[in-house]
Amino acid sequence: MHLWAELTRERLGALLPEALVVLPVGATEQHGPHLPTGTDTLLAATVAERACRAAARCERPLILAPAVATGASDHHLTFGGTLSLRPETLLAVLLDLARSVAGCGGRRLVLVNGHGGNRGVCTDAASAASVRFGLSTAYANYWELIGGDDPLVPGHAGAFETSAVLALRPELVGERPEREAPPLPEVPGVVVQPESFWRDVDGYTDEPSRATAARGEKWLDAAVAGLAGRLEVLGRVL
Amino acid sequence: MHLWAELTRERLGALLPEALVVLPVGATEQHGPHLPTGTDTLLAATVAERACRAAARCERPLILAPAVATGASDHHLTFGGTLSLRPETLLAVLLDLARSVAGCGGRRLVLVNGHGGNRGVCTDAASAASVRFGLSTAYANYWELIGGDDPLVPGHAGAFETSAVLALRPELVGERPEREAPPLPEVPGVVVQPESFWRDVDGYTDEPSRATAARGEKWLDAAVAGLAGRLEVLGRVL
Amino acid sequence: MHLWAELTRERLGALLPEALVVLPVGATEQHGPHLPTGTDTLLAATVAERACRAAARCERPLILAPAVATGASDHHLTFGGTLSLRPETLLAVLLDLARSVAGCGGRRLVLVNGHGGNRGVCTDAASAASVRFGLSTAYANYWELIGGDDPLVPGHAGAFETSAVLALRPELVGERPEREAPPLPEVPGVVVQPESFWRDVDGYTDEPSRATAARGEKWLDAAVAGLAGRLEVLGRVL
Amino acid sequence: MHLWAELTRERLGALLPEALVVLPVGATEQHGPHLPTGTDTLLAATVAERACRAAARCERPLILAPAVATGASDHHLTFGGTLSLRPETLLAVLLDLARSVAGCGGRRLVLVNGHGGNRGVCTDAASAASVRFGLSTAYANYWELIGGDDPLVPGHAGAFETSAVLALRPELVGERPEREAPPLPEVPGVVVQPESFWRDVDGYTDEPSRATAARGEKWLDAAVAGLAGRLEVLGRVL
Amino acid sequence: MHLWAELTRERLGALLPEALVVLPVGATEQHGPHLPTGTDTLLAATVAERACRAAARCERPLILAPAVATGASDHHLTFGGTLSLRPETLLAVLLDLARSVAGCGGRRLVLVNGHGGNRGVCTDAASAASVRFGLSTAYANYWELIGGDDPLVPGHAGAFETSAVLALRPELVGERPEREAPPLPEVPGVVVQPESFWRDVDGYTDEPSRATAARGEKWLDAAVAGLAGRLEVLGRVL
Amino acid sequence: MHLWAELTRERLGALLPEALVVLPVGATEQHGPHLPTGTDTLLAATVAERACRAAARCERPLILAPAVATGASDHHLTFGGTLSLRPETLLAVLLDLARSVAGCGGRRLVLVNGHGGNRGVCTDAASAASVRFGLSTAYANYWELIGGDDPLVPGHAGAFETSAVLALRPELVGERPEREAPPLPEVPGVVVQPESFWRDVDGYTDEPSRATAARGEKWLDAAVAGLAGRLEVLGRVL
C-alpha cells in the first residue's frame, strides 16, 4: 500500500497504470456540541488507510491519495464551525483530480466517502470521470460497508460517529448531550429535507450518549474489513 | 391536482404557499435497439401524473410542473440517439427551477426522478435548494417506490423498462433482442463503473425479451401507488 | 416526420446524418391574469409539430426533439407563476443539446423559439453550436414567420397570444382583463427596457380582450405555413 | 458629453444618477484580406462618440464608457487575425460592467453594438442587467439606425464596412478583392448559419470593391444622426 | 511595431508565428478625488506603446493588442466611478484572448499590467495560457520595471500615478487633496488587506500633492526604457 | 494554538470572532525524480503549524485550518505524479472556504502558501475574500519569510526544497540527480514562462545534490520564525 504524497513521480508513473487509486472524501463541519468538526475526514481517511493496509490479497497496487478535507456542508454553516464547498465546487475538485489521475497514467479511481452531504457529488464525479477521462471508477460510502443494517448507522454526530471518534480520538470528544432521540422524517425510498430539519434536531441525530468506544471499534473494524474486501474485488473487476 | 403549465399566475400565486410542487426529471437517451429514447421521461412523467391524481388524501394541493425532458446521459452518447445535459448543466437547471418556485411563493418541492444517471444531481439539487432558497424538499426515484426488491428493477432498457413501455406505448417497442443476461459487476455497497461497462452490455441490462405488458402494468401500478402514498405523507411532514 | 423521443437509437442513428433536427424552445411564465403559464411552450411546440407535418416537400427527414419547456424568464419572476432559467443556464442547455445532436451523428439543428426572452440565448446557441460542434444551424421565432406585419404580433399575453390559446385550448383562458392598451416605449431600432416596464403594463401588453379564437387560428395557420415553407427551404440550403 | 475614463469618481458620482451611460461594444476580428481587424470597434466607438456629441438636445448627461474592444468572434478564428471572447465570457463582461454602473449610482445603460456576432449577448445582457441590477437599459446595433433598408448594410467586410473605414482611416484599407457577390443563404425570418458559410464566402460578404469613402461618410453620418436622435428620445423615456 | 487592430488578417497571419504579442491590461476605477478613473489603462497602454516603439533592437516583430480597459477593481466599487470585472471574469477574458492568439498562429504573449488588483489574474493567465494553449508567456507590472526602489512607486492615486498623469494629460488632474500620508499596514513579505483598508485611506495612498509633471516624465521614461529593454530580451529568450 | 478540525462548533463559535484563521495551501505534484509529490503540502503545513505554535506573543487566538492538499499544478501534469486543480477550481475552493469562515463568525484569514503555482490564485482569493465576505485577509508565501535573499530559495525540487524534506522526512528522498544547474530565463521584474521551460529543466530547478538536512533545518527554522513574527504583527494590525 502506497501513499501518493510520499511517492516520487517515477514511482507513481510505474504504479499508476496497474493501480487502484483510493481517494477519501471527507468534510469539516459542525458535529453537534460534542464532536470535533473534522470527524468525517478523520473517519473516511482512517477507514480508507486501514482498509488499504488490510487488503492484502488485492491483486493491484493500492495508492491512497490525500483526503479531500472539506466537503459539501452548506446545510451546516448556520451552526458555525463549518468549512464548506458548494456542490458545484466539490464536483469541480473531484473532476480535476480524476482528470489528473488519468492524465498521469492512472486507470482506476475509488472514492471513499465519509459525509452524507457528499453523496450526490461523488455519484456525479464517479460517473463523469468515467465518461470524460476514460477511468474505471467505484464509489462507496464507508458506513454502508459495515453490514448488519443498524438503524444508528450512520446518523450525523449521533451514537455511531460519536462511538467511532471515542475509539480513535477520545480526547476530542466533549460532554455528550443527553436527550431522547428526536423523530426523523422517515418516508421510505424518499430523501426528505424539511427546511427546518437540522435546526429541529440541533444539528445532530439520535443519541450521542449511547456511544461507547467499544462500539466504535467494532463499527470501524467492520467498515475496514468491508472496504478491504471490496478493494480486493475491485482489484479484479476494474 | 393541478398542472403548473395550465394555471394562471393568479391561481399559482394562491396555491403555491400551501402546495407540493412535483417536478418529474427524465432523460432522452438510447435504450437499446428496441425501446424509444424517451422512455425515462415517459415513465417518470406518467408515474408522477398518475400518482398526483391518485393521492386523493393528500392534505396539500399538488402542482405538477413540466417534466425536465433531458437528463444527465453523457455515458450513453456513444450509442447515439441521446440528448444529454452535462451534470453541471442539469444541476443549474434544477436549481434555477427551485429558485423560481421559491421566488413565486412556493415552499415545497418534490423531485420524481426517472433516470439512474440523474441521481447525483437530484440529490445535490434537493439539498442545495433547501439551503439556498429555504424550500422543504423531497426526492425519490420512482422505481424505488415499487417495493418487493425485484432484481429486474430498474435495470436500463431491460425487462422492467421494456415491460413498462409495453404497457403504455406498445407501438413504440421494437423487436426485442434475444440474449442471456450479461453479468453485472456487483460489489455490494459500491457503485461500480468499469470504463467499458455500457459497451460490454451493448447499452442495456438483463433480458428485454422477458418483458410483458402485464408485468409493466403491475410495476407501474405499484410505482404510482407507492408515490401517491408518499405524497400523502409528504403533505403532512413537509 | 419523426419524434426523437419515440425513435430507437438505431432509427435515429440512420436518420440523423441526413435530417433536420427541430428543437422547440418555450417558456413557462406568467401571462397576465388570464392566460396559462405554459402558453409559450404550447405555441412553440404546436407550431413546430404542425409545421413538421406540413412540410411534405422537405427533402430531408424532419426529427422533432422534445421541447425545452422552460426558458429565460427572470423578468417575470416578480409576478409569480414563473419557472425561469437564467440566460447562462439556458445557453448551457441548448449547447449541451447541440453537442448531443452532433455527437450522435446529426448535422443540422433548427431552433424554433416561442418566447421573446429567449432570443439572445437562441442567437448565441445557434452561432456557437455551428462553431463548436460543426453543425449547420437555423433559428427562427415562430411569430416572425406569420408575415403581414401586424402590430399586435407578438406582444406578451396580449391579443395575439390570447387568440392563439383560445384557438388551441380555450378552456385554459380565464377572464380577460378590460383595458386600453398602455403605450409601449417605441424607439425604432432600439430594444428598450425601462426598469419599470413590466410593472407598468401589469405583465402583459396591448388588449387581450380583442382576442378571438378565429384570429388565433388564422395566426397559427400562418405561422405553421411560414415555418413549413422555411423547413422546406432549409432542407435544401443546410 | 463626458468620457467616463476622463472623469474623477466625484464627478461620476454626481452625474451617474441622472445620466445615460453609453457603452460601445466592438470586436477585433478578421475582415477579409483588405480591412483592419479593428474595424468593428472603430466603427462602434466612432459612431457612439459622434452621436453623444451630436445629441445636443438630450435632457440627460451622456457618459461614454470605454469601448469593449473584443467581442464574440469565434466563428472568425479560423481565418486568423481574430481576438475572440466566447459568448459566455462576453456576457459575464457586460453583466459585470452593468453591475458596476448600478453599484456606482448609475440607472441607465445604453449598449451600442458594432458586431453582428455580439447581438445575442447584447440582448441577454440588456435584459439581465435590468432584472439583476435594476437598470433601465437600451440596446442598438448602430447599423440598424441608418435607415433606408440598403441591402449592402451591414454585411461583413463588404461594401458598407469598407466604405466606412475608407471614410475614417483610408490608410488602413488594403487592396480590395474583386469578385462577384457570392449568394447569401436568405431565408426570410430565419437566422441561417450553414457550417461552411464563412469559408464559402472567404470571410467577407458582397463586394468590397463597390466601396467608396463618400458612401462611407454618408452612412456614418446617418448612423450618427440616427443614434443621436435615439439618445435624445431615451433621455426622456428611460 | 504594429497595432493588431490596424492590421489585416493576412498581415497578422504572416507576422504572428514570429512575433511577440503585447497585451496591456488596465483598469477603470476610482483614483481619489483628483485623478481620472481611466488612469491605469492610460498608463499601461502608453508605456506599452512607447516601449514597443523604443524596442528597436528587438529581433522579433512586436504586435500591440488592444488594451483590456477594465480590470479587477471590486475593492473600489464602494467609492463610485469604477467599472470592474470580477477576477473570474477577467481570467476568462485573458484566457480567451490567449486562446485566440494561439489559434491564429501566435506563439508568444506578453502581458503588461497597469493595475495592482490585476496581479493575481495576470499571474494565472500567463501560466494557464502556457499550459493550455502552448504559448510562451511573460508578464510584467510596468511600475516594477522602473528600477530604483522608490517607496512612492506605485501606490494608488498617490504621488507616482498623479505625476504620471500630470505628465501625460495634465488637464485631467483635479485639485489634489492635501494630507499627510496615512500609514500603510506594512508586513514584509505579506500581502495585507485589512477589511477597512481603502476606506481608511479614502481610496488613495500617500500624498498626491507631492506629484509633479517632471517626476511623472522621469518615471514614465524609466518604465518605457525598462519595458523596451525587457522586450528586446524576451525577443531572444521566448 | 488550535486545530480547526479538532474543535467543536461551540469552541469555534467562541474563538472565531477574535481569531486569526491560518489556512495552508499546498500542492501534490511532481518534484523531480527524487522528492515526494507531497513536498509542497508537507512544507506549507509544517511551517504553518510550527509558526502557530511559536507565535506565543500573538494577541489573538490562532486557528489552523486543514491544509488544502492539492493546488494549481497543471504545468506539471505532463511529468506524471501530479494531482492538480485548475486555477478556476482552486479559486472557487479558497473563496468557498473564506465564505465559510465569514459565515461562521470569523473575521481574519491568513493564507500560507507553499507552491509557486498558487500565487495568482492566492492573491485573488485574499482580495476577493475581503471584498465579498468582509474579511480582513493576509497572504504570504512561506519561503519569502526566510530572509537573506538566497538565490536557491525557493526553486522547485532543487537544493532548497530537497534540503527541507531531508530535514523533515529523509526517508522519502530518493537518489538525487547529479547535474549542473541549468540556466533559468531571468528577466528582472518579468515572470517568464517559455513554453518548453519545465521540459528543458526536467521538472526541477538548480542542483538537488547540493541539499543537506542541516540547510533544510536552518531554512525551515527561519521560515517558521519569519511566519511566527508576522502572525504576531497581524494579530495587531488585522
Side-chain angles (χ1 to χ4, degrees):
Chain A
M1 181 270 214
H2 310 273
L3 297 177
W4 183 300
E6 298 197 348
L7 301 186
T8 62
R9 70 185 191 196
E10 267 72 12
R11 195 85 182 93
L12 282 161
L15 290 168
L16 277 167
E18 298 305 317
L20 296 181
V21 176
V22 178
L23 176 65
V25 187
T28 303
E29 63 177 25
Q30 73 87 17
H31 268 70
H34 57 295
L35 283 191
T37 57
T39 293
D40 288 349
T41 300
L42 171 68
L43 299 183
T46 300
V47 169
E49 178 161 359
R50 290 186 181 178
C52 285
R53 296 193 191 284
R57 284 170 306 188
C58 185
E59 294 164 10
R60 296 192 171 281
L62 288 161
I63 302 176
L64 186 64
V68 176
T70 51
S73 305
D74 281 2
H75 47 305
H76 290 305
L77 279 171
T78 188
F79 291 99
T82 299
L83 293 169
S84 175
L85 304 182
R86 291 172 300 125
E88 292 90 342
T89 303
L90 183 59
L91 181 57
V93 166
L94 296 185
L95 288 175
D96 278 4
L97 297 181
R99 178 193 63 134
S100 300
V101 168
C104 294
R107 294 186 190 147
R108 295 161 205 88
L109 178 63
V110 182
L111 303 179
V112 177
N113 177 37
H115 169 49
N118 293 342
R119 280 179 292 195
V121 173
C122 287
T123 301
D124 285 332
S127 176
S130 175
V131 177
R132 293 187 195 173
F133 310 120
L135 292 172
S136 290
T137 62
Y139 151 51
N141 302 308
Y142 81 85
W143 65 82
E144 296 184 345
L145 310 179
I146 288 175
D149 221 18
D150 192 323
L152 291 174
V153 177
H156 174 74
F160 169 68
E161 290 189 336
T162 305
S163 295
V165 182
L166 281 173
L168 291 175
R169 300 289 306 275
E171 76 281 11
L172 299 182
V173 180
E175 193 173 356
R176 283 171 275 154
E178 290 287 341
R179 73 168 180 193
E180 301 271 312
L184 285 182
E186 288 286 347
V187 188
V190 185
V191 180
V192 186
Q193 178 126 341
E195 188 275 335
S196 66
F197 172 68
W198 288 107
R199 285 196 308 280
D200 292 347
V201 299
D202 191 23
Y204 62 98
T205 61
D206 64 85
E207 292 162 275
S209 59
R210 295 174 61 188
T212 66
R215 300 180 86 173
E217 270 164 39
K218 196 194 60 178
W219 274 320
L220 284 170
D221 287 349
V224 168
L227 179 55
R230 263 62 158 211
L231 291 173
E232 291 172 350
V233 175
L234 291 171
R236 290 192 299 274
V237 305
L238 284 193
Chain B
M1 181 271 212
H2 310 273
L3 296 177
W4 182 302
E6 299 197 348
L7 301 186
T8 62
R9 68 185 191 195
E10 266 72 14
R11 195 84 183 95
L12 282 161
L15 289 168
L16 277 168
E18 298 306 316
L20 295 181
V21 176
V22 178
L23 177 65
V25 187
T28 302
E29 63 177 26
Q30 73 86 16
H31 268 71
H34 57 296
L35 284 191
T37 56
T39 293
D40 289 350
T41 300
L42 171 69
L43 299 182
T46 301
V47 169
E49 178 162 357
R50 290 185 181 180
C52 284
R53 296 192 191 284
R57 283 171 306 186
C58 185
E59 295 165 8
R60 296 192 171 282
L62 289 161
I63 302 176
L64 186 64
V68 176
T70 50
S73 305
D74 281 1
H75 48 303
H76 289 305
L77 280 171
T78 189
F79 291 98
T82 299
L83 293 170
S84 175
L85 305 182
R86 291 171 302 124
E88 292 91 341
T89 302
L90 183 59
L91 180 58
V93 167
L94 296 185
L95 288 176
D96 278 5
L97 297 181
R99 178 193 63 134
S100 300
V101 169
C104 294
R107 295 187 189 144
R108 296 161 205 85
L109 178 63
V110 182
L111 303 179
V112 177
N113 177 38
H115 168 48
N118 293 342
R119 281 179 292 195
V121 173
C122 287
T123 302
D124 284 334
S127 175
S130 175
V131 176
R132 292 188 195 173
F133 311 120
L135 292 172
S136 290
T137 62
Y139 151 50
N141 303 308
Y142 81 85
W143 64 84
E144 296 184 347
L145 308 179
I146 289 175
D149 221 19
D150 191 323
L152 291 174
V153 177
H156 174 75
F160 169 68
E161 289 189 336
T162 306
S163 296
V165 181
L166 281 172
L168 292 175
R169 300 287 307 274
E171 77 280 12
L172 300 182
V173 181
E175 192 172 359
R176 283 171 277 156
E178 291 287 341
R179 73 167 181 195
E180 301 272 311
L184 285 181
E186 288 285 346
V187 189
V190 186
V191 180
V192 186
Q193 178 125 343
E195 189 276 334
S196 66
F197 172 67
W198 288 107
R199 288 197 305 280
D200 292 346
V201 300
D202 190 24
Y204 62 99
T205 62
D206 64 83
E207 292 162 275
S209 59
R210 295 173 61 189
T212 68
R215 300 179 87 176
E217 271 163 38
K218 194 194 61 176
W219 274 319
L220 285 169
D221 287 349
V224 167
L227 178 56
R230 263 64 158 207
L231 290 174
E232 292 171 351
V233 175
L234 291 171
R236 288 192 299 274
V237 305
L238 285 192
Chain C
M1 181 271 213
H2 310 273
L3 297 177
W4 182 301
E6 298 197 347
L7 301 185
T8 63
R9 69 185 191 196
E10 267 71 13
R11 195 83 182 94
L12 282 161
L15 289 168
L16 277 166
E18 297 306 317
L20 296 181
V21 176
V22 178
L23 177 64
V25 187
T28 302
E29 62 178 25
Q30 73 87 17
H31 268 71
H34 57 295
L35 283 190
T37 57
T39 293
D40 288 350
T41 300
L42 171 69
L43 299 183
T46 300
V47 169
E49 179 162 358
R50 291 186 181 178
C52 284
R53 295 193 192 284
R57 284 169 305 186
C58 184
E59 295 165 9
R60 296 191 172 281
L62 289 160
I63 303 177
L64 185 65
V68 176
T70 51
S73 305
D74 281 3
H75 47 304
H76 289 305
L77 280 170
T78 189
F79 291 98
T82 299
L83 293 169
S84 175
L85 304 183
R86 292 171 300 125
E88 293 90 340
T89 303
L90 182 60
L91 181 57
V93 166
L94 296 185
L95 288 175
D96 278 5
L97 297 181
R99 178 193 62 134
S100 300
V101 169
C104 294
R107 294 185 189 147
R108 296 160 205 87
L109 178 63
V110 182
L111 302 179
V112 177
N113 178 38
H115 169 48
N118 293 341
R119 281 178 292 195
V121 173
C122 287
T123 302
D124 285 333
S127 175
S130 175
V131 177
R132 294 188 194 172
F133 311 119
L135 292 172
S136 290
T137 62
Y139 151 51
N141 302 308
Y142 81 86
W143 63 84
E144 297 184 346
L145 309 180
I146 289 175
D149 221 19
D150 191 322
L152 291 174
V153 177
H156 174 74
F160 169 68
E161 290 189 337
T162 305
S163 295
V165 183
L166 281 172
L168 291 175
R169 300 288 307 274
E171 77 280 11
L172 299 182
V173 180
E175 191 173 358
R176 283 171 275 155
E178 290 287 341
R179 73 168 180 193
E180 301 272 311
L184 284 182
E186 287 286 348
V187 189
V190 185
V191 180
V192 186
Q193 179 125 345
E195 189 275 336
S196 66
F197 172 67
W198 289 107
R199 284 196 308 281
D200 292 347
V201 299
D202 191 23
Y204 62 98
T205 61
D206 65 85
E207 292 161 274
S209 57
R210 295 173 60 188
T212 66
R215 300 179 87 175
E217 269 163 40
K218 194 194 61 177
W219 274 321
L220 285 169
D221 287 349
V224 168
L227 178 56
R230 263 61 158 213
L231 290 173
E232 291 172 350
V233 176
L234 292 171
R236 289 193 298 274
V237 305
L238 286 193
Chain D
M1 181 271 213
H2 311 272
L3 297 177
W4 182 301
E6 298 197 348
L7 300 186
T8 62
R9 70 186 189 195
E10 267 72 14
R11 194 87 183 92
L12 282 161
L15 289 168
L16 278 167
E18 297 306 315
L20 296 181
V21 176
V22 178
L23 177 64
V25 188
T28 303
E29 63 177 25
Q30 73 87 17
H31 268 71
H34 57 296
L35 284 191
T37 56
T39 293
D40 288 349
T41 300
L42 171 68
L43 299 182
T46 300
V47 169
E49 179 163 357
R50 290 185 180 179
C52 285
R53 295 192 192 285
R57 283 170 306 187
C58 184
E59 296 164 8
R60 297 192 171 281
L62 289 162
I63 302 177
L64 186 64
V68 177
T70 50
S73 305
D74 280 3
H75 47 302
H76 290 304
L77 280 170
T78 188
F79 291 99
T82 299
L83 293 169
S84 174
L85 304 182
R86 291 171 301 125
E88 292 91 341
T89 302
L90 182 60
L91 181 57
V93 167
L94 297 185
L95 287 175
D96 279 5
L97 297 181
R99 179 194 62 135
S100 299
V101 169
C104 295
R107 295 187 189 144
R108 295 161 204 84
L109 178 63
V110 181
L111 303 179
V112 177
N113 178 37
H115 168 49
N118 294 342
R119 280 179 292 194
V121 173
C122 287
T123 302
D124 285 333
S127 175
S130 176
V131 176
R132 292 186 195 175
F133 310 120
L135 292 172
S136 290
T137 63
Y139 151 51
N141 303 307
Y142 81 84
W143 65 83
E144 296 184 346
L145 309 180
I146 289 175
D149 221 21
D150 191 324
L152 290 174
V153 178
H156 174 74
F160 169 67
E161 289 190 336
T162 305
S163 296
V165 182
L166 281 173
L168 292 175
R169 300 287 307 275
E171 77 280 11
L172 299 182
V173 181
E175 192 172 358
R176 282 170 277 157
E178 291 287 342
R179 74 169 180 193
E180 300 271 313
L184 285 182
E186 288 286 346
V187 189
V190 186
V191 180
V192 186
Q193 178 126 342
E195 190 275 335
S196 65
F197 172 67
W198 289 107
R199 286 196 308 279
D200 292 347
V201 299
D202 190 23
Y204 62 99
T205 61
D206 63 84
E207 291 162 275
S209 58
R210 295 174 59 189
T212 67
R215 300 180 87 176
E217 270 163 39
K218 193 195 60 176
W219 275 320
L220 284 170
D221 287 348
V224 168
L227 179 55
R230 264 63 158 208
L231 290 174
E232 291 171 351
V233 175
L234 291 171
R236 288 192 300 275
V237 306
L238 285 193
Chain E
M1 181 270 216
H2 310 273
L3 296 177
W4 182 301
E6 298 197 348
L7 301 185
T8 63
R9 69 185 192 196
E10 267 71 13
R11 195 83 182 94
L12 282 162
L15 289 168
L16 277 168
E18 297 306 316
L20 295 181
V21 176
V22 178
L23 176 65
V25 187
T28 302
E29 62 178 26
Q30 74 88 16
H31 268 71
H34 57 295
L35 284 191
T37 57
T39 293
D40 288 351
T41 300
L42 171 68
L43 299 183
T46 300
V47 170
E49 178 162 358
R50 290 186 182 180
C52 285
R53 296 194 191 283
R57 285 170 305 186
C58 185
E59 295 164 9
R60 295 191 172 282
L62 288 160
I63 302 176
L64 186 65
V68 176
T70 51
S73 306
D74 281 3
H75 47 304
H76 289 304
L77 280 170
T78 189
F79 291 98
T82 298
L83 293 169
S84 175
L85 304 183
R86 291 172 301 124
E88 293 89 342
T89 302
L90 182 59
L91 180 57
V93 167
L94 296 185
L95 288 175
D96 279 4
L97 297 181
R99 179 193 62 135
S100 300
V101 169
C104 293
R107 294 185 189 148
R108 295 160 206 86
L109 178 63
V110 181
L111 303 179
V112 177
N113 178 37
H115 169 48
N118 293 342
R119 282 180 290 196
V121 173
C122 287
T123 302
D124 285 333
S127 175
S130 175
V131 176
R132 293 188 194 172
F133 310 120
L135 293 172
S136 290
T137 62
Y139 151 50
N141 303 308
Y142 81 84
W143 64 84
E144 297 185 345
L145 308 179
I146 289 176
D149 222 19
D150 192 323
L152 291 174
V153 177
H156 174 74
F160 169 68
E161 290 189 336
T162 306
S163 295
V165 182
L166 282 173
L168 292 174
R169 300 288 306 274
E171 76 282 11
L172 299 182
V173 181
E175 192 173 357
R176 283 170 276 155
E178 291 288 341
R179 74 169 180 192
E180 300 272 311
L184 285 182
E186 288 286 346
V187 190
V190 185
V191 180
V192 186
Q193 178 126 343
E195 189 273 335
S196 65
F197 172 67
W198 288 107
R199 285 196 308 281
D200 291 347
V201 299
D202 191 23
Y204 63 99
T205 62
D206 65 85
E207 292 162 273
S209 59
R210 295 174 61 188
T212 67
R215 300 179 86 175
E217 270 163 39
K218 195 193 61 176
W219 274 320
L220 285 170
D221 287 349
V224 168
L227 179 55
R230 263 62 159 211
L231 291 173
E232 291 172 351
V233 175
L234 291 171
R236 289 193 298 275
V237 305
L238 285 192
Chain F
M1 180 270 213
H2 310 273
L3 296 177
W4 181 301
E6 298 197 348
L7 300 186
T8 62
R9 70 186 190 194
E10 267 73 12
R11 195 83 184 96
L12 282 161
L15 289 168
L16 277 167
E18 297 306 316
L20 296 181
V21 176
V22 178
L23 177 64
V25 187
T28 302
E29 63 177 26
Q30 74 86 17
H31 268 70
H34 57 296
L35 284 191
T37 57
T39 293
D40 288 349
T41 300
L42 172 68
L43 298 183
T46 300
V47 169
E49 178 163 357
R50 289 185 181 180
C52 284
R53 295 192 192 285
R57 284 171 304 187
C58 185
E59 294 165 8
R60 296 191 171 281
L62 289 161
I63 302 177
L64 186 64
V68 176
T70 51
S73 306
D74 281 2
H75 47 303
H76 290 305
L77 280 170
T78 188
F79 291 98
T82 299
L83 293 170
S84 175
L85 305 183
R86 291 171 301 125
E88 292 91 342
T89 303
L90 183 59
L91 181 58
V93 167
L94 296 185
L95 288 176
D96 278 6
L97 297 181
R99 178 194 63 136
S100 300
V101 169
C104 294
R107 294 186 190 146
R108 296 161 205 87
L109 178 63
V110 182
L111 303 179
V112 177
N113 177 37
H115 168 49
N118 293 343
R119 280 179 293 196
V121 174
C122 286
T123 301
D124 285 334
S127 176
S130 175
V131 176
R132 293 187 195 173
F133 310 121
L135 292 172
S136 290
T137 63
Y139 151 51
N141 302 307
Y142 81 85
W143 64 84
E144 296 184 347
L145 309 180
I146 288 176
D149 222 19
D150 190 324
L152 291 173
V153 177
H156 175 74
F160 169 68
E161 289 189 337
T162 306
S163 295
V165 182
L166 281 173
L168 292 175
R169 300 287 307 274
E171 77 281 10
L172 299 182
V173 180
E175 192 172 0
R176 283 171 274 156
E178 291 287 343
R179 72 168 180 195
E180 300 271 313
L184 286 182
E186 288 286 346
V187 189
V190 185
V191 180
V192 185
Q193 178 126 341
E195 190 275 334
S196 67
F197 172 66
W198 288 107
R199 286 197 307 278
D200 292 346
V201 299
D202 190 22
Y204 61 99
T205 61
D206 63 84
E207 292 162 274
S209 58
R210 294 174 61 190
T212 68
R215 300 179 87 175
E217 271 164 37
K218 194 194 61 176
W219 275 319
L220 285 170
D221 286 350
V224 168
L227 179 55
R230 263 62 158 209
L231 290 174
E232 291 171 352
V233 175
L234 292 171
R236 287 193 299 275
V237 305
L238 286 191

